[in-house]
């Protein structure tokens, strides 16, 4: 039984991170203010002295030159939110200017980033298995 669980659990975690956000029941994101606080924290919106991401239409630093009052080098372009999944299209400035799709999922541990921004998908740790008699 333990071997079967050890094989099945990684497959389930991979399936969790590979599923696309549902398009049905998704609503458009008009602003960063439409996002949960936990997602905003992961995007760096509350960083000081400047926020880590600009809202749609806000000033954005698309260059590599950073000075004390520079606007953020990331900016929200668009997004959609469903019940437990958020997809955001974000613009990244600098030499390697690009846009990227970030995905966040609402899990039993709260909102976690599951796709994008150079990081490997965040996987939930495997729950401890009870000893078998």
């Amino acid at each position: 039984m333990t071997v079967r669980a050890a094989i099945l659990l990684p497959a389930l975690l991979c399936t969790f991170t590979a599923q696309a956000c549902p398009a049905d029941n998704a609503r458009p994101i008009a602003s960063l203010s439409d996002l949960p606080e936990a997602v905003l924290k992961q995007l760096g919106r509350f960083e000081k002295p400047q926020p880590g991401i600009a809202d749609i239409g806000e000033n954005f630093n698309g260059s590599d030159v950073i000075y004390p009052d520079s606007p953020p080098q990331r900016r929200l372009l668009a997004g959609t939110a469903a019940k437990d999944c958020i997809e955001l299209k974000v613009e990244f400035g600098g030499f390697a200017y690009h846009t990227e799709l970030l995905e966040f999922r609402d899990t039993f541990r709260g909102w976690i980033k599951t796709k994008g921004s150079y990081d490997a998908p965040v996987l939930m740790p495997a729950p401890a298995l009870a000893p078998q008699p």
Side-chain angles (χ1 to χ4, degrees):
M1 189 74 161
T2 328
V3 173
R4 190 177 318 153
I7 293 170
L8 181 60
L9 189 58
L12 290 173
L13 289 174
C14 290
T15 302
F16 172 78
T17 59
Q19 294 175 352
C21 286
D24 55 337
N25 300 324
R27 59 178 169 67
I29 298 291
S31 168
L32 287 170
S33 62
D34 294 341
L35 299 174
E37 186 174 333
V39 172
L40 292 172
K41 283 181 182 178
Q42 292 178 61
L43 291 170
R45 184 62 176 173
F46 304 119
E47 290 177 7
K48 300 291 180 193
Q50 291 90 20
I53 187 168
D55 205 347
I56 296 171
E58 286 184 347
N59 286 337
F60 161 74
N61 182 3
S63 75
D64 283 326
V65 179
I66 300 171
Y67 48 92
D69 293 328
S70 291
Q73 284 190 297
R74 295 178 293 158
R75 175 170 51 189
L76 178 64
L77 294 175
T80 58
K83 178 183 165 202
D84 61 355
C85 187
I86 295 173
E87 284 186 335
L88 303 174
K89 187 171 184 181
V90 176
E91 183 175 29
F92 289 78
F95 177 75
Y97 172 87
H98 68 287
T99 59
E100 192 171 334
L101 185 67
L102 306 181
E103 179 184 280
F104 298 85
R105 298 276 180 158
D106 191 9
T107 69
F108 70 95
R109 299 177 72 199
W111 285 95
I112 59 168
K113 184 174 58 169
T114 54
K115 186 190 305 179
S117 147
Y118 305 115
D119 297 328
V122 178
L123 297 177
M124 294 178 289
L129 299 174
Q132 300 297 318

